[in-house]
Amino acid sequence: MPGKNNNRIERIDEELKKEISNIISYELKNPNVTGMISVTKVKVTTDLKFAKVSVSILNSKNVKETLAGLKKSSGFIRSEVAKRVNLRNTPEIIFELDDSIEYGAKIDNILKDIMKDIKKED
């Protein structure tokens, strides 16, 4: 039954996404992690060994530093996840940057500029 396991993985993805978001927002005390960090997606491997965590970082002093800070804190985050989520093995957390929100904001700004230009011409 491949579908049944899929649902379980999806539930784990969602649960991890919620918990990792809370941990980053309220418990992470790393001074290098700045800005608004949103966990956009979590994808665990079927063997639950790894969790790929996509994060969007807005208004950060330094995005690279923030991502590096998250990677350095992954052990702490993993141990916090272990306390909150009842899994036999807690997956190793791998952070990656999701710049789709930033990309969307850039597109929005371009469209606003175009609309201003069109209104000026009228």
Side-chain angles (χ1 to χ4, degrees):
M1 278 194 267
K4 189 176 178 212
N5 196 28
N6 238 1
N7 282 347
R8 178 171 178 262
I9 295 289
E10 283 172 22
R11 280 200 314 271
I12 292 169
D13 287 348
E14 276 309 303
E15 186 66 21
L16 289 179
K17 181 179 168 187
K18 189 179 81 183
E19 292 303 340
I20 292 170
S21 286
N22 285 336
I23 294 163
I24 290 172
S25 297
Y26 303 113
E27 279 153 67
L28 196 59
K29 303 281 187 266
N30 185 325
N32 294 331
V33 177
T34 59
M36 192 179 87
I37 298 157
S38 304
V39 177
T40 54
K41 192 166 85 186
V42 173
K43 197 85 198 104
V44 289
T45 53
T46 47
D47 60 4
L48 299 181
K49 292 237 188 298
F50 298 95
K52 230 186 205 177
V53 179
S54 300
V55 290
S56 167
I57 303 169
L58 295 172
N59 304 332
S60 174
K61 290 180 198 143
N62 184 329
V63 173
K64 277 191 180 119
E65 225 174 65
T66 294
L67 191 61
L70 284 173
K71 287 177 179 174
K72 262 199 186 101
S73 302
S74 66
F76 165 76
I77 295 169
R78 183 182 185 190
S79 66
E80 286 300 307
V81 166
K83 292 175 195 169
R84 301 162 188 218
V85 183
N86 188 10
L87 291 171
R88 200 172 303 131
N89 296 322
T90 304
E92 191 177 315
I93 296 170
I94 300 161
F95 284 104
E96 61 180 21
L97 194 58
D98 175 356
D99 53 12
S100 61
I101 291 175
E102 198 177 318
Y103 180 74
K106 214 177 262 179
I107 299 290
D108 271 355
N109 287 334
I110 291 168
L111 290 173
K112 280 179 190 155
D113 288 347
I114 291 171
M115 293 311 292
K116 278 181 200 163
D117 290 346
I118 290 172
K119 284 181 181 153
K120 279 180 193 167
E121 288 170 11
D122 289 345

